[in-house]
């Protein structure tokens, strides 16, 4: 079942060249929706229990004990569902894609397999394969369908994240060599953490930098704004909504359980890096006049919350309940950020599609000519700044409650200023609404027509899901909580 | 002492095919020598079959100088397979050439020398193999009898002769102080010998092998030969001799010294990958670009050689990487042969004009980078593992940084594929329909094999 979910998009991608041109978009939408249904089915069948389900473990490269090992648990399921949702939404959004539509669909289906595979991988080498392939896929998306200085942005994206992936590989090999007997299997590595002392610290450094570049944390975020700005709207949505999660997912799945000693020892580093990301991302976003760049920087801010929470979870002296809350909040934030930022990038795409510009100063009073667009933008902005009733609030509340409430001085000191991040985010989104949506008409406002049906069909589910999570988060949280309890226990062991 | 000629069946097949090709070439009319290509291909296929059978047999030593072990099996299969691909690539361009039969025979003889280079565990056989592998290749480099080819052949020859003589001196010194030429004898003999003499001998010996491998400091011939020689020959000399050279380097290091020759080779590896990458940056001629890329790949390949004797990962890393490299490099050169053009700009719009060729090139170039799931990726993982396990984390980091740097110039070649061609495509000079079809098939096969080796790597490693 899980293998079907992972490889169905790829199989269809391989068959797509044989599909008649007119049927391509509908085939694409059909398969992504089918895949989403399968993921939901898996989630329903797995329920909220802990443990790993739908495991497949096949020998792959036996001489280094690497296998094709996949499975799902409370951490994978929400992310798999998020991935499936976003890819389905992007397929719907791209219904009007005319330039090389077939290749576009093939590339996105390929990316979907890669992303789903990554979140299901239970083998480090397999994880790395998907991690690297996602870079290649996104490189071509930016290079071929991007705009602006896309060649340069794509190259920068590739070089930067590829360097990160190689450092990550060195860290993985460190874990492999530390294990006795040598293995890449995540389950075995989690059961018996392979390293301690100095080597563990170096391995955590390698893994942390590798995943940190992908997350991205300050100061490794510089690839992100150009890549996001020049990517096509659907590409940005996937890049921000799914691929940034690979970094934080790796921290929870690999770094914390497999290097518990080192994680506890260097938890302050993650706290500080998270805090810097939160404040820096928000402040730089505040200064942007380019809407898409602004959204890109809010991603730095939002991912900063996650790193902050995970750092707080490393304080073993803290209150266990609070640390669990922090991890749960972090995972919820991943899902929430995927939905909301995906929506924001698609909205930016609508703007660019009509007016060919992202410049905030040249828009104004969009609400008059495009009321639906304005309403959707407002909802997405409020979701992003963490208004109660929307998913961002649930996530951020848990993160702050967990971080500050864990009772150690360091987490409280780091957590308190991070709340300021929310304030700045609120300010910057209100500024966007004020200048672009309300206010006097700008020079490009006349070009902005209201959202079309495919765009509406893509945006509404994202924001509706955010609302659902905001109002009834129980289903999501029940799935995550056993997992966060397990992670906190794993980090705490000596 | 084991003197069973059947243990050398793959080599004898290649030899028999070469001799038969030479004889047939004398009697066939000048313009109808294509049967020679068939004979040579058949010999290579038969050799591959024998090598495959031998690979499942036990390790043994034939004639006290020729090891039949996993290193030899991989060398045999990779060399014979690569040579088969080269013969196919060359069949079109040299068709009806007055020296067609010589071309194929020279390739086969050089390949034979390469296999012996990888299999010999005796210094004297090593020298003989070196000469057999080199001399036909010098002639091949100048096969076109044009100015760039002549210059390439001359450079290749002078470099090879100089470093070959140096190597001979090293062999003399080592056999003198080690009281023998067989590696098993040297292992005990060199341990008691004066360290300075051993060091001088080893350095001189390595000079010759590094020349064959195209590694620093013996790499100066690589770009000129790759650019000046006929494309199929360029594919040959940048792929096949390296296979034997790395096998020989590894075998010498692992069998004559309990802990390998770590420090010297590690430094050479770092220098080779860095210099190769830096030189590749500015190249606008794809053959020069590929030549420098092979230099940098030689640097990665030297990492497991430097780790010989220090970790169990070194040997699988080397063998897998060598095979992966051969497949990838041949694929890239096959694309050059099929496209028939050397300038980067000439590749604009290739993906649209010929999707299979464009995709093969993308797979091969990303393979060079080490992107999963290609063969080189598995090789690189093993190589990084060997470096870390051999307590040379710095070397792993240098290799990782170099890999990232290399992405830049490989992508420089990928980007134009998607562009619209600036001018209507001119017919490439010297390319016939048959050449293009065969070369495209070889390129696609290589790309496919690279993916298969990457995904189902376990079967090959086990």
């Amino acid at each position: 079942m899980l293998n079907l979910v992972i490889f169905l998009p790829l199989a269809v991608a391989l068959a797509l060249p044989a599909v008649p041109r007119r049927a391509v978009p509908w085939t694409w939408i059909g398969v992504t929706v089918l895949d989403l249904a399968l993921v939901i089915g898996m989630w329903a069948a797995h329920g909220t229990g802990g443990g790993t389900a739908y495991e497949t473990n096949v020998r792959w490269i036996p001489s280094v004990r690497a296998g094709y090992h996949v499975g799902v648990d409370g951490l994978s399921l929400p992310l798999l569902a998020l991935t499936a949702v976003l890819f389905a939404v992007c397929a719907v959004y791209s219904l009007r894609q005319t330039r090389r539509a077939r290749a576009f669909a093939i590339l996105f289906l390929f990316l979907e397999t890669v992303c789903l595979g990554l979140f299901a991988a239970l083998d480090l080498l397999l994880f790395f394969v998907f991690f690297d392939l996602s870079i290649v896929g996104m490189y071509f998306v930016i290079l071929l369908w991007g705009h602006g200085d896309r060649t340069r942005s794509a190259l920068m994206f590739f070089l930067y994240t590829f360097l990160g992936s190689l450092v990550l590989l060195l860290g993985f090999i460190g874990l492999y060599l530390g294990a006795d007997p040598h293995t890449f299997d995540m389950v075995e590595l989690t059961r018996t953490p392979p390293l301690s002392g100095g080597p563990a610290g170096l391995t955590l450094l390698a893994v942390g930098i590798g995943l940190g570049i992908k997350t991205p944390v300050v100061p490794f975020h510089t690839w992100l704004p150009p890549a996001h700005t020049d990517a096509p709207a659907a590409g940005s949505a996937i890049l921000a909504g799914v691929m940034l999660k690979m970094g934080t997912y790796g921290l929870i799945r690999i770094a914390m359980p497999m290097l518990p000693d080192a994680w506890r020892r260097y938890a302050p580093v993650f706290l500080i890096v998270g805090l810097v990301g939160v404040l820096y991302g928000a402040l730089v976003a505040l200064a942007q006049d380019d809407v898409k760049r602004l959204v890109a920087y809010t991603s730095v801010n939002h991912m900063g919350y996650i790193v902050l929470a995970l750092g707080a979870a490393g304080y073993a002296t803290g209150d266990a309940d609070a640390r669990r809350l922090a991890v749960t909040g972090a995972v919820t934030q991943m899902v929430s950020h995927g939905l909301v930022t995906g929506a924001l990038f698609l909205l930016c795409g609508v703007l660019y599609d009509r007016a060919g510009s992202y410049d905030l100063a040249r828009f104004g009073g969009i609400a008059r000519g495009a009321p639906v667009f304005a309403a959707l933008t407002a909802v997405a902005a409020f979701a992003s700044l963490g208004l109660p009733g929307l998913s961002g609030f649930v996530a951020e509340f848990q993160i702050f409650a967990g971080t500050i409430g864990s009772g150690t001085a360091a987490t409280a000191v780091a957590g308190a200023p991070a709340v300021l991040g929310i304030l700045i985010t609120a300010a910057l989104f209100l500024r966007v609404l004020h200048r672009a949506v309300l206010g006097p008409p700008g020079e490009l406002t006349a070009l902005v027509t209201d959202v079309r049906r495919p765009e509406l069909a893509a945006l509404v589910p994202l924001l509706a899901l955010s609302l659902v999570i905001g109002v009834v988060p129980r289903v999501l949280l029940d799935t995550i909580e056993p997992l966060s309890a397990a992670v906190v226990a794993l980090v705490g062991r000596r | 002492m084991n003197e069973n000629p059947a243990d050398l069946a793959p080599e004898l097949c290649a030899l028999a095919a070469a001799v038969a090709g030479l004889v047939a070439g004398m009697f066939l009319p000048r313009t109808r020598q294509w049967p020679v290509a068939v004979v040579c291909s058949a010999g290579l296929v038969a050799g591959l079959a024998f090598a495959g059978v031998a690979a499942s047999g036990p390790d043994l030593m034939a004639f006290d100088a020729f090891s039949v072990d996993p290193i030899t099996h991989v060398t045999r299969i990779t060399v014979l397979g690569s040579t088969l691909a080269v013969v196919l690539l060359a069949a079109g361009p040299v068709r009806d050439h007055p020296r067609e039969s010589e071309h194929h025979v020279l390739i086969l003889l050089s390949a034979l020398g390469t296999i012996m280079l990888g299999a010999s565990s005796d210094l004297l056989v090593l020298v003989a193999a070196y000469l057999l592998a080199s001399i036909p290749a010098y002639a091949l480099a100048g096969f076109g009898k044009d100015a760039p080819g002549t210059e390439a052949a001359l450079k290749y020859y002078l470099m090879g002769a100089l470093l070959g003589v140096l190597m001979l001196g090293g062999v003399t010194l080592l056999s003198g102080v080690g009281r023998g030429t067989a590696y098993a004898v040297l292992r005990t003999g060199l341990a008691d010998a004066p360290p300075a003499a051993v060091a001088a001998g080893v350095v001189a010996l390595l000079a010759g092998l590094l020349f064959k491998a195209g590694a620093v400091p013996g790499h100066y011939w690589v770009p000129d030969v790759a650019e000046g020689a006929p494309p199929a020959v360029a594919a040959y000399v940048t792929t096949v001799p390296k296979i034997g050279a790395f096998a020989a380097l590894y075998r010498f290091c692992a069998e004559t010294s309990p802990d390998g020759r770590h420090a010297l080779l590690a430094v050479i590896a770092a220098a080779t990958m860095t210099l190769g990458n830096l030189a590749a940056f500015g190249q606008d001629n794809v053959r020069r670009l590929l030549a420098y890329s092979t230099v940098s790949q030689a640097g990665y390949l030297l990492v497991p050689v430097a780790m010989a004797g220090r970790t169990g990962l070194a040997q699988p890393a080397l063998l897998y990487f060598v095979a992966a490299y051969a497949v990838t490099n041949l694929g890239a050169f096959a694309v050059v042969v099929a496209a028939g053009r050397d300038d980067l700009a000439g590749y604009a719009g290739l993906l649209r004009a010929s999707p299979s060729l464009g995709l093969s090139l993308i797979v091969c170039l990303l393979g060079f980078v080490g992107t999963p799931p290609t063969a080189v990726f598995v090789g690189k993982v093993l190589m990084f593992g060997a470096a870390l396990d051999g307590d040379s984390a710095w070397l792993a980091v240098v290799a990782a940084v170099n890999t990232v740097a290399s992405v830049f110039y490989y992508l420089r070649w990928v980007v134009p594929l998607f562009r619209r061609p600036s001018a209507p495509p001119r017919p490439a000079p010297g390319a016939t329909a048959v050449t293009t079809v065969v070369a495209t098939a070889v390129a696609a096969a290589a790309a496919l094999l690279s993916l298969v080796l990457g995904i189902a790597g376990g079967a090959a490693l086990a």
Side-chain angles (χ1 to χ4, degrees), chain A residues 84-167:
Chain A
V85 167
L86 273 169
F87 274 98
V89 158
C90 283
V92 174
Y93 180 87
S94 306
L95 198 56
R96 283 164 39 84
Q97 171 81 32
T98 47
R99 200 155 57 95
R100 304 192 212 186
R102 194 191 300 266
F104 195 70
I106 291 176
L107 204 50
F108 268 76
L109 287 170
F110 165 77
L111 267 175
E112 179 165 9
T113 288
V114 168
C115 294
L116 291 170
L118 183 126
F119 292 127
L122 287 178
D123 183 277
L124 287 180
L125 213 54
L126 190 64
F127 180 93
F128 180 80
V129 166
F130 288 128
F131 193 86
D132 233 21
L133 282 179
S134 74
I135 299 173
V136 176
M138 190 46 77
Y139 168 76
F140 286 119
V141 169
I142 301 176
L143 179 72
L144 299 181
W145 287 275
H147 39 65
D149 195 0
R150 60 188 187 195
T151 313
R152 195 184 135 78
S153 297
L155 183 65
M156 188 168 168
F157 164 76
F158 198 116
L159 287 180
Y160 223 123
T161 49
F162 193 71
L163 176 66
S165 81
L166 282 180
V167 177

Side-chain angles (χ1 to χ4, degrees), chain A residues 2 6 69-72 76 80 115-123 249:
Chain A
L2 180 58
I6 297 174
H69 190 180
V70 292
V72 295
S76 317
L80 287 175
C115 294
L116 291 170
L118 183 126
F119 292 127
L122 287 178
D123 183 277
Y249 173 82

Side-chain angles (χ1 to χ4, degrees), chain A residues 450-476:
Chain A
D450 215 339
V451 288
R452 303 196 178 95
R453 251 179 295 167
E455 291 159 353
L456 191 67
L459 284 161
V460 166
L462 289 178
L463 296 174
L465 276 173
S466 173
L467 185 68
V468 169
I469 295 174
V471 178
V472 277
R474 210 54 257 166
V475 178
L476 180 63

Side-chain angles (χ1 to χ4, degrees), chain A residues 59-64 99-100 125 128-133 136 139-140 143-144 151 154-155 158-160 162-164 166-167 169-171 173-174 176-177 182 184, chain B residues 313 352 362 366 369-373 377-378 381-382 384-385 388-389 396-397 400-401 403-405 407-408 411 414-415 418-420 454-459 461-462:
Chain A
R59 278 148 46 98
W60 175 33
I61 309 180
S63 56
V64 292
R99 200 155 57 95
R100 304 192 212 186
L125 213 54
F128 180 80
V129 166
F130 288 128
F131 193 86
D132 233 21
L133 282 179
V136 176
Y139 168 76
F140 286 119
L143 179 72
L144 299 181
T151 313
L155 183 65
F158 198 116
L159 287 180
Y160 223 123
F162 193 71
L163 176 66
L166 282 180
V167 177
L169 180 62
L170 292 184
I173 293 175
Y176 163 76
L177 293 173
H182 295 341
F184 279 111
Chain B
L313 277 174
R352 193 168 287 255
I362 290 174
L366 289 177
V369 173
T371 314
F377 163 69
V378 181
V381 170
L382 293 170
F384 283 133
L388 288 180
D389 203 29
V397 171
V401 170
T403 303
V404 174
V407 171
F408 179 75
L411 289 185
V414 171
V415 171
F418 298 99
R419 290 215 183 99
R420 279 170 207 291
I455 295 169
L461 271 175

Side-chain angles (χ1 to χ4, degrees), chain B residues 141 146 148 222-235 238 283-294 329 332-333 336-337 340-344 347 413:
Chain B
D146 48 358
V222 181
D224 291 305
V225 175
E227 191 186 2
V233 174
T238 54
Q283 303 300 335
D284 283 323
N285 180 311
V286 292
R287 283 208 254 161
R288 280 189 94 81
L289 189 149
L290 271 181
Y292 282 114
S293 123
T294 68
N329 202 45
F333 266 106
V336 176
V337 173
R341 40 186 65 251
D342 288 348
D343 52 330
L344 267 181
Y347 284 81
W413 194 0

